Structure formats: C-alpha cells, structure tokens
C-alpha cells in the first residue's frame, strides 16, 4: 500500500528476512511488500504481524509463516496468464500475496467465518481477481478446472487425487504432506503427460487438511 512516509519499516525488515531465507524472485518480494499482514491477523496479534511466524486466526487455524508463504509462492512460478486454485483461504493473506502475480485466483475455505472475513479484506484492499467459495477443497472446483497452478495451505495425508486431476498438464501444485503436525514436508508437484514429478521442499507445519462436510 502507498504510504507518504515511505515503505513500512516492519515490512522492510520482514522482506529482508525473506531474502535471508533464500527467496530470490523479485516479483515475489514485491508481492510480499505490497500486502499489509497486520490487516490479516486478529487485533490481539497485530504487534506480531510482521514477525516471521505463524499466528492464530480463530477456529483453531493459523495464518502461515511469511517465509513459507513466500517459498510456496515462488515455487508456483506464476505469470499473469495463470488461473490458480488455493485450498484453505484462512485469513486470505496467502491469497492476497498471490493475487498480483496471477490472472485469477479461486480459493476455497471450509469455515464460513474465515471466508467472510477474508472477502472483506480483499474488498478493503481493492483486490478484484479473487473468487471465494465455502466448501470442502478436497473435491476441488470442477466448474473452473483445469488450473495452471494449485496451492494447498493445509497438510494432507497424501497427494489429493482430485486436485491432481484438476491440474493442467505442465501445471504446478504445491502441497504440504504429513498426518502429524511434527512430521510434514512441503512438495512441489509438476503434472506431465504421463503422471507427476514430485520434489521435496523441506519441513513445514500446517493445520490439517480436513475432508468432508463443512462446519455450520
Ligand atoms: N492460506 C491461509 C492459511 C490458513 S490455514 C492464510 O494465508 O491465512 C489453512 C486453512 O485451510 C484453514 O482456514 C482451514 O479451515 C482450511 N481447510 C482445511 N481443510 C480444508 C478443506 N478440505 N477445504 C477447504 N479449506 C480447508
């Protein structure tokens, strides 16, 4: 966001941490610089919004650690032609970082309250290329498939087969896998003509990917 005093120093130091953490793509750095993370966390955590740490957002969910948001965003190798699917809107922070880097983002969240709060934040920030949906992301978004990129921001026990189906050939999916909070790894999946190629990106900690009916 524009600021007459120049860039927010807290954002500047966060971005420095992203660089130190190995983020090289300048487009990703600029996208991170453009999103005020304090708008995405509850009031009680505002003073920690620019720490490189995950924070609670209610409903026992968390907004991801900024360096992980940056790593996942970088791994997607986005262009402004890409149609992207996100599973797990949460606070909307990851979606807001993806928004300037892609053509359109479709994002699914299973908690109504989180979805509605995220929608308000997108409107407040003047973000218009995000479409939200309440539902179970394990079935993807059939009407909009195939997607050039898919990002899953909750830890699945295995690669969700429907999401691989809904990924275009040549497309990239980034997904944390593991059924224990202390034993999850991030994977980059590239869909080929004949199957998928997976690369491991390191250890992460995400809330679980929950399949089935959405809570009331
Ligand atoms: N991308 C979010 C991270 C939120 S945490 C952010 O930037 O804030 C992960 C989110 O995934 C939670 O809000 C959780 O409710 C949601 N989630 C978990 N399983 C899901 C599923 N099957 N479908 C849709 N959302 C899901």
């Amino acid at each position: 966001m524009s600021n007459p005093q120049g860039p927010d120093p807290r954002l500047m130091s966060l971005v420095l941490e992203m660089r130190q953490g190995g983020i090289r793509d300048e487009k990703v750095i600029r996208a991170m610089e453009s999103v005020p993370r304090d708008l995405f966390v509850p009031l009680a955590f505002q003073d920690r919004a620019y720490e490189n740490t995950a924070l609670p957002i209610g409903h026992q969910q968390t907004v991801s650690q900024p360096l992980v948001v940056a790593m996942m965003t970088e791994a997607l190798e986005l262009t402004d032609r890409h149609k992207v699917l996100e599973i797990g809107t949460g606070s909307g922070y990851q979606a807001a970082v993806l928004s300037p880097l892609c053509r359109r983002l479709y994002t699914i969240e299973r908690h109504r309250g989180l979805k509605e709060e995220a929608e308000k934040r997108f409107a407040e920030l003047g973000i218009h290329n995000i479409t939200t949906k309440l539902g179970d992301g394990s079935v993807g978004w059939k009407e909009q498939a195939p997607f050039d990129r898919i990002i899953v921001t909750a830890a699945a026990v295995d690669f969700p087969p429907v999401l691989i189906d809904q990924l275009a050939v040549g497309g990239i999916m980034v997904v944390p896998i593991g059924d224990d909070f202390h034993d999850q790894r991030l994977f980059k999946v590239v869909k080929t003509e004949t199957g998928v190629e997976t690369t491991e990106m390191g250890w992460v900690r995400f809330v679980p990917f929950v399949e089935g009916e959405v809570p009331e």
Side-chain angles (χ1 to χ4, degrees):
M1 287 222 295
S2 65
N3 176 340
Q5 276 95 46
D8 186 329
R10 297 171 308 170
L11 251 176
M12 299 284 281
S13 81
L14 183 67
V15 161
L16 185 63
E17 282 193 67
M18 302 297 99
R19 290 192 195 278
Q20 286 164 347
I23 303 303
R24 293 285 168 266
D25 187 335
E26 289 301 321
K27 286 193 305 184
V28 173
I29 296 279
R30 275 200 301 278
M32 299 284 293
E33 258 167 2
S34 75
V35 183
R37 192 167 182 254
D38 51 326
L39 293 189
F40 292 82
V41 301
L43 272 181
F45 294 102
Q46 300 266 299
D47 56 337
R48 301 187 56 196
Y50 292 95
E51 289 177 19
N52 183 21
T53 174
L55 292 170
I57 54 170
H59 302 274
Q60 297 171 322
Q61 307 303 324
T62 55
V63 54
S64 312
Q65 184 192 351
L67 184 57
V68 174
V69 170
M71 276 171 57
M72 292 174 85
T73 305
E74 185 169 65
L76 287 173
E77 301 173 21
L78 292 164
T79 77
D80 57 8
R81 296 188 309 278
H82 287 148
K83 181 178 180 179
V84 184
L85 174 66
E86 178 190 34
I87 311 297
T89 317
S91 67
Y93 178 69
Q94 171 78 71
V97 170
L98 295 171
S99 152
L101 302 173
C102 66
R103 177 163 59 85
R104 180 152 282 281
L105 175 69
Y106 294 85
T107 180
I108 309 177
E109 170 57 52
R110 61 190 297 279
H111 283 287
R112 186 184 300 274
L114 291 176
K115 171 192 170 270
E116 288 173 357
E117 280 174 49
E119 280 168 344
K120 278 194 214 135
R121 292 176 180 127
F122 301 149
E124 206 177 319
L125 291 171
I127 298 175
H128 298 298
N129 65 342
I130 299 180
T131 310
T132 57
K133 174 163 141 171
L134 182 71
D136 174 10
S138 67
V139 299
W141 196 322
K142 206 170 89 202
E143 298 77 12
Q144 295 299 339
F147 296 94
D148 303 300
R149 302 288 187 259
I150 298 180
I151 174 169
V152 184
T153 67
V157 289
D158 205 348
F159 298 102
V162 178
L163 298 184
I164 291 176
D165 284 347
Q166 294 186 8
L167 187 62
V169 172
I172 300 174
M173 172 160 73
V174 180
V175 54
I177 302 286
D179 54 7
D180 181 334
F181 184 70
H182 300 285
D183 184 19
Q184 298 175 5
R185 283 168 301 160
L186 190 61
F187 286 89
K188 175 175 175 174
V189 177
V190 179
K191 185 160 166 178
T192 65
E193 293 284 355
T194 50
V196 291
E197 284 164 9
T198 59
T199 319
E200 198 192 307
M201 294 175 60
W203 298 96
V204 283
R205 283 188 179 177
F206 277 86
V207 296
F209 182 81
V210 182
E211 296 189 31
E213 254 173 63
V214 302
E216 250 329 294

